Amino acid sequence: MRHPVFFALLLGSAAILSACGQTGQGDVTRAVNNAAAAEADSIRQIMLTVADPGEAVTYFQRQVDAEPDEIEHQRGLARSLVRGGRQSEAVLAWRKVVDHDDSNNDDMVSLADALIRTSDWAAAKIVLDTIPPTHETFDRYKLEAVVADSNQQWAKADSFYETAVGLTTTPAGVLNNWGYSKLTRGDGEAAERLFTEAITYDPKLFTAKNNLVLARATRRVYALPIVPMTQEERAQLLHTGALAAIKRGDTDIGRSMLEDAIDTHPRYFEPAVRALEALNS
């Protein structure tokens, strides 16, 4: 992958070096070191955000091989493995980071996150339990909530979700998770409120919209909620509502919603067509 940013960074470095020709040798050395550090940090951020995950893994692996004791390279490799969906490798990488002398509590949280991604809930809980209670961050409490959920410790889960929501300005994702937790417990009304709140924070969060349709279906309310949606999203939500209605025995409503979904979708909506054919047969 080629990024124009790389060339801008190199040109910037050249300009700094040119300017340094009029200063003392000590100033030149400091300027070169500062420029190199700034360029390395910029490349690291690119690799952790917009770069292809596979390319990022290769880049950070080279950095680790060149400077095996540099913890930032190890963190970059671990984060890139997570981005690339290589969760088992990510767990091993985060364990190496945690074992580093310069590791911190955020690294422990990242290890717990990687363990959860491999469904190793017990190990994740052990890691979270070793983190001091004074380390109060959104990521920590978000993970504490899902671990408590997995153990059906509902009171703890609610407390952790509430704390996590209060520690971020973008709580849509955790509100959606909390709502889904309520839905699995059979508390559909509470789930509806949480999904609706999640959508107010992020109107593009389709998962929350889909979950909201499922939560309303527990009350046999199949009309689509009044939330922002594209034409394709409307078709998909009609399909979700139709399947929920059929599952609850409201077959005629489900059939009508499937027909509406097929007519609404801007393209051929194969899942809805198959569901309607199966229902009619």
Side-chain angles (χ1 to χ4, degrees), residues 53-246:
E55 181 181 353
V57 169
T58 301
Y59 169 79
F60 283 113
Q61 187 61 69
R62 286 200 305 265
Q63 299 300 105
V64 170
D65 291 341
E67 297 179 285
D69 294 330
E70 175 53 58
I71 193 170
E72 286 303 325
H73 300 333
Q74 295 182 21
R75 285 175 177 143
L77 176 60
R79 290 180 181 129
S80 299
L81 288 167
V82 171
R83 283 185 64 220
R86 297 159 62 173
Q87 308 304 345
S88 297
E89 295 174 74
V91 169
L92 297 177
W94 277 118
R95 287 196 184 280
K96 289 182 180 179
V97 173
V98 167
D99 289 340
H100 196 284
D101 290 340
D102 295 329
S103 67
N104 55 38
N105 289 323
D106 286 328
D107 296 324
M108 296 288 287
V109 173
S110 295
L111 172 58
D113 177 72
L115 288 165
I116 288 172
R117 291 173 187 270
T118 63
S119 298
D120 194 345
W121 301 97
K125 186 176 189 316
I126 291 172
V127 172
L128 290 171
D129 286 347
T130 63
I131 300 173
T134 53
H135 185 70
E136 298 182 310
T137 66
F138 167 73
D139 288 333
R140 191 259 178 89
Y141 283 109
K142 177 182 67 175
L143 299 182
E144 293 277 15
V146 296
V147 169
D149 255 344
S150 72
N151 293 324
Q152 297 186 359
Q153 297 173 312
W154 310 130
K156 280 188 175 182
D158 288 339
S159 176
F160 288 137
Y161 278 124
E162 185 176 8
T163 302
V165 168
L167 290 173
T168 180
T169 58
T170 55
V174 72
L175 285 167
N176 178 66
N177 290 346
W178 193 2
Y180 190 77
S181 172
K182 291 286 190 180
L183 187 60
T184 58
R185 304 179 215 173
D187 192 349
E189 292 187 12
E192 283 186 56
R193 291 194 297 272
L194 289 164
F195 293 139
T196 301
E197 188 176 357
I199 296 167
T200 63
Y201 280 102
D202 185 0
K204 295 182 179 180
L205 186 59
F206 179 75
T207 304
K209 300 175 191 179
N210 200 64
N211 287 337
L212 178 57
V213 170
L214 292 173
R216 286 162 61 89
T218 63
R219 298 189 289 115
R220 281 191 157 88
V221 176
Y222 302 118
L224 293 188
I226 302 175
V227 296
M229 65 182 78
T230 65
Q231 183 178 351
E232 184 172 342
E233 285 179 334
R234 179 179 177 81
Q236 292 173 330
L237 294 176
L238 284 166
H239 178 244
T240 296
L243 297 182
I246 294 168

